[in-house]
């Protein structure tokens, strides 16, 4: 598992890519091993995801009778949802990359997106924590949540632009394939798994 210094190194490389500096690509491990190791980002995100899950549980229980409770199965289902949200866009991106003949650029996209998940997972966790402890600021925090989503879309599009070159239509398509399926899948799976707040 990559240690803190290595993850910090990768995050610095991503910041270079967001700024449009292609030198950031050379700081990422884009080998077969690097691709597989980038999925350690899931474990790095796990503490942040746990905080978000606790907030989601509180939101879910708010719409239930007072005596209602949820246990391990609820969190297991949240874990299934999280895994689907992580893997499905990468699979769709892979199919699109194959169709567009992007070849090894797919490796760069997966590695970058995986490690980019780490800072955003903790940012969302912080917002979830604030929503739990300061419910009176829900309006402001929702606005920050929207800003954070826009920052994620912007970051992905900037990174993909460096990886794929100045092809606005291709970059926009790849970015949408990363974001839109998550939004649609989350809502559908939340209802199917019975974890949608009533």
């Amino acid at each position: 598992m990559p240690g803190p210094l290595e993850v910090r190194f990768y995050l610095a490389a991503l910041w270079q890519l967001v700024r449009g500096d292609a030198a950031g690509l050379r700081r990422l491990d884009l080998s077969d091993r690097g691709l597989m190791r980038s999925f350690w980002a899931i474990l790095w995100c796990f503490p942040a995801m746990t905080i978000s899950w606790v907030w989601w549980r509180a939101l879910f229980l708010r719409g239930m009778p007072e005596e209602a409770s949820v246990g391990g199965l609820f969190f297991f289902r949240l874990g299934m949802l999280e895994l689907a949200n992580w893997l499905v866009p990468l699979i769709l991106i892979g199919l699109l990359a194959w169709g567009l003949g992007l070849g090894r650029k797919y490796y760069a996209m997966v590695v970058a997106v995986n490690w980019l998940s780490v800072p955003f997972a903790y940012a969302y966790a912080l917002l979830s924590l604030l929503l739990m402890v300061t419910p009176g600021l829900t309006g402001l925090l929702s606005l920050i949540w929207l800003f954070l989503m826009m920052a994620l879309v912007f970051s992905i599009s900037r990174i993909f632009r460096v990886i794929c070159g100045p092809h606005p239509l291709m970059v926009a398509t790849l970015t949408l394939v990363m974001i839109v399926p998550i939004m649609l899948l989350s809502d559908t799976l939340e209802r199917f798994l019975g974890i949608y707040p009533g």
Side-chain angles (χ1 to χ4, degrees):
M1 177 177 173
L5 289 178
E6 187 176 351
V7 174
R8 189 174 166 186
F9 184 80
Y10 292 149
L11 295 184
L14 292 177
W15 178 238
Q16 282 184 277
L17 293 176
V18 170
R19 286 169 30 223
D21 185 356
L25 276 177
R26 293 194 293 272
R27 301 178 68 182
L28 295 173
D29 185 354
L30 304 180
S31 65
D32 292 347
R33 179 174 177 270
L35 175 73
M36 298 309 298
R37 291 183 84 238
S38 72
F39 285 95
W40 281 108
I42 297 174
L43 199 57
W44 269 95
C45 290
F46 186 72
M49 287 189 290
T50 302
I51 295 171
S52 297
W53 293 356
V54 170
W55 168 72
W56 193 256
R57 177 183 179 273
L59 197 63
F60 181 81
L61 287 175
R62 197 178 300 168
M64 303 287 285
E66 284 188 22
E67 66 277 5
S69 64
V70 294
L73 184 59
F74 180 82
F75 291 108
F76 175 74
R77 289 173 176 173
L78 278 175
M80 289 173 58
L81 174 65
E82 203 74 52
L83 192 62
N85 282 342
W86 197 298
L87 295 179
V88 169
L90 294 182
I91 293 170
L92 293 176
I93 283 284
L95 293 173
L96 188 57
W98 175 74
L100 294 172
L102 295 178
R104 298 281 293 191
K105 290 182 179 180
Y106 175 63
Y107 277 37
M109 287 186 278
V110 173
V111 170
V113 167
N114 280 347
W115 289 120
L116 186 65
S117 299
V118 176
F120 279 94
Y122 282 90
Y124 280 119
L126 178 59
L127 278 178
S128 298
L129 192 61
L130 289 172
L131 282 166
M132 283 190 286
V133 300
T134 57
L137 295 178
T138 300
L140 175 61
L141 295 175
S142 297
L143 191 61
I144 296 173
W145 200 291
L146 177 62
F147 174 77
L148 197 56
M149 174 60 76
M150 292 170 61
L152 176 62
V153 173
F154 175 78
S155 300
I156 291 173
S157 65
R158 292 285 293 177
I159 290 169
F160 283 0
R161 187 180 188 280
V162 174
I163 293 171
C164 301
H167 305 290
L169 186 58
M170 181 189 296
V171 170
T173 303
L174 289 167
T175 303
L176 286 174
V177 169
M178 276 301 307
I179 300 298
V180 175
I182 293 177
M183 298 169 66
L184 298 176
L185 187 66
S186 289
D187 187 64
T188 304
L189 281 181
E190 282 164 13
R191 296 176 188 278
F192 176 75
L193 295 171
I195 54 176
Y196 188 83

